[in-house]
Amino acid sequence: MRAKSLLHCIVLIAAWLAATPIALAQAFPSKMVKITMPHSSGTAPAIFMRLMADKLSKLWGQQVVVESRPGASGFIAIEAVKNAARDGHELLVVANSQMTINPALYKKLPYDPEKDFVPVVMMLRASFFITVSTSGPYQTVPALIAAARANPGRISYSSSYVGSPSHLGAADFEYRTGTKMIHAPYKDQSQMYIAIANRDIDWAFSTIGSALPLIKAARLKVIAVAAKQRIATAPEVPTVEEAGGPAGFEIDAWIALVAPRGTAAEAVRRINADVNRLLADPELLARMQLFGFEPASATPEQLVELIRADTKKNAEIVRRSGATAD
């Protein structure tokens, strides 16, 4: 009898252990999920994220809310989440600038991308385009490079802020073309594009979504995309290399979800699987195309490797450019 009782206990324990991972996975989400993001509520990433949240709410049977906390290079949103509960119910939207550029740009960063957060899921990529005035003299990449080489320090480009992907991309473009140009950062992105259209600034790296109003008005045009191959949202636009620029030249911005370090692996896996599933949703794909985004699914491990690679690459560009935000 004792042997039978012992065997019965062993079977029950084994069954419990086997079921535990499933039970843990099903425990998420058990309440409202809050997603904090550093983007203003009217921006393309925020609009997309609210649509994603609505679909996650239906999928999970729990309310998913998005809170925009812009400002201070993303620090406000980051500080609000880095010490939050580690159960998957508090998530943070980050861009590559916060995770892979800021560590090199700031001497005193109020967070550690690796120690404070665990990567959960990649969502979007946005390629950058060389954008010029429709009425300007630089209608091709070779013409722009030739003018910059012939007039060191006179050709100007703009970006939304020092150390932004567009700024570092332009600095890398200078380095790889052997040119020296003037960087003119603009706090107001709409004013930046107006300045290019009016030929007060010669060019910039921009995303399609941000420059779209003036592109549609035929005041701006894109002459090349900084990608290794042409992209689906603008297949008619040649790559920088195809257009006569540096080989393999690539700049993009990406957006991902992270959680406070220590968040349960089961919750991370569940969120990753469900977000990746929704990235194929037709309504979400249509919204991405409108904003010039492309879906970018990845496992948590692949996102870790991407962050490490981009951090190394951006640190070198920041060092060469001398850019600093302190």
Side-chain angles (χ1 to χ4, degrees), residues 72-75 96-111 113 159-169 171 183 185 310-326:
S73 299
F75 296 170
N96 54 327
S97 54
Q98 281 108 32
M99 299 299 284
T100 72
I101 296 176
N102 283 356
L105 201 63
Y106 290 84
K107 293 177 182 176
K108 293 182 179 180
L109 198 63
Y111 63 95
S159 75
S160 50
Y161 61 89
V162 172
S164 63
S166 55
H167 171 215
L168 295 187
H183 176 219
D310 278 6
T311 298
K312 182 178 179 181
K313 177 187 73 176
N314 289 324
E316 176 60 20
I317 298 174
V318 169
R319 184 194 64 78
R320 284 202 311 256
S321 69
T324 179
D326 288 316

Side-chain angles (χ1 to χ4, degrees), residues 24 50 54 79 86 139 142 175 177 195 201 217 230 258 304 323:
L24 286 173
R50 282 178 169 80
D54 181 62
E79 286 289 320
R86 287 149 170 75
Q139 299 296 300
Y175 174 76
T177 57
I201 298 292
R230 297 191 185 202
V258 299
V304 168

Side-chain angles (χ1 to χ4, degrees), residues 86-149:
R86 287 149 170 75
D87 57 8
H89 294 87
E90 290 254 13
L91 301 170
L92 173 69
V93 174
V94 291
N96 54 327
S97 54
Q98 281 108 32
M99 299 299 284
T100 72
I101 296 176
N102 283 356
L105 201 63
Y106 290 84
K107 293 177 182 176
K108 293 182 179 180
L109 198 63
Y111 63 95
D112 186 311
E114 187 171 353
K115 293 180 179 178
D116 290 335
F117 296 100
V118 57
V120 176
V121 63
M122 187 84 156
M123 290 186 292
L124 304 170
R125 280 186 182 275
S127 294
F128 282 81
F129 296 76
I130 294 181
T131 304
V132 298
S133 171
T134 306
S135 61
Y138 313 119
Q139 299 296 300
T140 66
V141 173
L144 178 62
I145 295 172
R149 285 175 177 165

